[in-house]
Amino acid sequence: MKNFMKKAAAAMIAMLAVVAVFGTSVPAQAASKAPKSLSVKVTTKTVDIKGKSKISVKSVKPANASKAVTYKSSNKKIATVSSKGVVTGKKAGKVNITVTSKKNKKVKKVVKITVKNLKPSSVKVSASKATVAVGKINTLKAAVKPAGVYCPVKWTSSNKAVATVSSNGKVTAKKAGTATITVKATQKNSKGKYLSTTCKVTVVDKTPASVSKQQVYVSPEWLKSAMSGLQKGYENVFVSEVAWGDTAGDKNYNAGHIPGAYHINSDAVEYDDCAPWPYGDGKDDFGLYDEKDVKPEDNFNIRSGKQLSEFLKRNGITKDTKVVLYGRSASDSSVTRVAFSMLYAGVEDVKVVDGGMQAWKAAGYDVETKVNEQKAGGDNYSFGTTVPAHPEYILSAEDAKDKLQNDANFRLVSIRSTKEFEGEETGYGYIDYAGEPLGAVWGHNTDDGSYVENGKVVGIDKVKSILAESDSSLDNELSFYCGTGWRATIPFLICYQNGVKNISVYDGGWWLWQLNWQKDKAAWPIQDVSADVVKNYAQLSFAAEEVNKDASGKMLVAGASAAENKLACWPARVSSKVVYGSSDKKVATVDATGKVTAVAAGEATITARTKAGNKATYKVVVSPAQ
């Protein structure tokens, strides 16, 4: 067995030797084939004294022939050439560099090189801005023109504690902050100056974590990383600053905005009959869409699906566009108004910079003053779905009224100031009457800092605590509103990004409710009480003023029958807190649900009362037993 193994091993070795020989013979034969012609390429035919140029073989014929060549200078005092084809200028003059095939000495090319005393004309760096996480390295490259000039560069950092840079442009991030990396020519230009250029490096603690499509509020650091190509799927974001008014009139935008950001007028997403302000001429006057008659109740509401579609097309936005909007601060509701409108329309990924421009500047990021123009969708533009894709995000005035009257789980949440909520002021120069829809609860005001902590929008726990003040929670169906729909969008977006489903914006707000109230005060009742009182405040009324029969229609007799009188409680949420009482329990008693039991012949007054003091009464007549 051992002898067999030895023979097998010997045979295997011999086979490998054969494979090795034949395996290398084919490429060796190809490499040894002599070319019949060759062509070369050269980086520049004019070089500086000490400057360099590179000559290399571009192609040979036949294509599988050897590319091995030698290089020779006709005058080494003018320029030398290395075995790899690197030409170095020595002194002014002209020289021939001969490139000769090693396999066929007859095949050669001559490159004429001129050596001059060149001066650098420009210095450029591979990136003017860069974002690097702590501990990471980003290598920058410098390019000096003209090609062939001798001009080494020197790299320096303005803040070595933040980022250092090596002699070959390797930037190492040390700690969060900003540093300016300068690359400077070591040779003077024709005007006797040393040219230089810079790259602003922003170092972040780490690349901000990726976020979900549903996440609305993002940090300036996240946006910066996305714009730097560090957020997968967000390399091409549509960034826009939102403010009321057109671009030319937006002083803040023109004074400085996020680089590449467009301007969006908040009027572009809602009807606005304001020419001259505050009273209009009954026309949609901004010229963005086909002119149409505007009813008073249309003003300040989100535009129709058709007009929103036109707005989105004019900005080149489809349902799949990654949109990032920002305003001036965390409580800037003009930006959240537009963000909400886009989600309502069907844009699937809309984000808002948390803290707005204030946070962007605080992070030390650059701004620009250049006005950027949106690129509209062309002839083949398609938004990608029906607009609006989410009509459920907006609650109509009629539906709000119906839910207040009949749905005990519904909460109409006012996002307005204390004085607005209690009816001391309207909050708007163009709204004449103060108050709130009957049944609304107070959800604090986004303009007074209730929804901002440390310059950022609060989290869902803060929203929970605000709702709890009015005996409400995320388990209720919530519809937020304000005067005309701006402030209400902030708590909506906070809830939305946290996956709360039963939410909407009552878009008509106090503006539309008070218009309807002026026409029919009974159908559109209002309140002007404090946030604490309103928890138990209701309008009560019984279906009948007098009850003398039982449920079957028979006369109500002593000791033998019971009766009910339907109570209407507006809002329905207070119905479970109503307390019933009887003026004479010897005649009739009433239980906690309002059911009356006849005791003895006579009359009694049944009262339904709220803890806020609202009440309604009716008379019960009990007949003698027969």
Side-chain angles (χ1 to χ4, degrees), residues 59 169 173 242 257 547 578:
S59 64
V242 178
H257 50 265
V547 172
V578 172

Side-chain angles (χ1 to χ4, degrees), residues 28-95:
Q29 288 175 359
S32 63
K33 189 172 184 178
K36 293 181 179 180
S37 66
L38 64 81
S39 64
V40 298
K41 56 184 177 181
V42 59
T43 55
T44 179
K45 293 183 179 181
T46 302
V47 296
D48 191 12
I49 298 171
K50 295 185 181 181
K52 296 183 183 298
S53 178
K54 178 71 164 56
I55 302 173
S56 58
V57 176
K58 183 178 182 181
S59 64
V60 292
K61 289 183 179 181
N64 62 347
S66 172
K67 288 186 177 181
V69 295
T70 60
Y71 298 93
K72 184 178 180 180
S73 171
S74 64
N75 190 337
K76 294 181 180 180
K77 291 183 179 181
I78 294 176
T80 60
V81 62
S82 73
S83 61
K84 293 185 178 180
V86 177
V87 178
T88 304
K90 294 297 183 178
K91 71 175 184 178
K94 294 183 178 182
V95 66

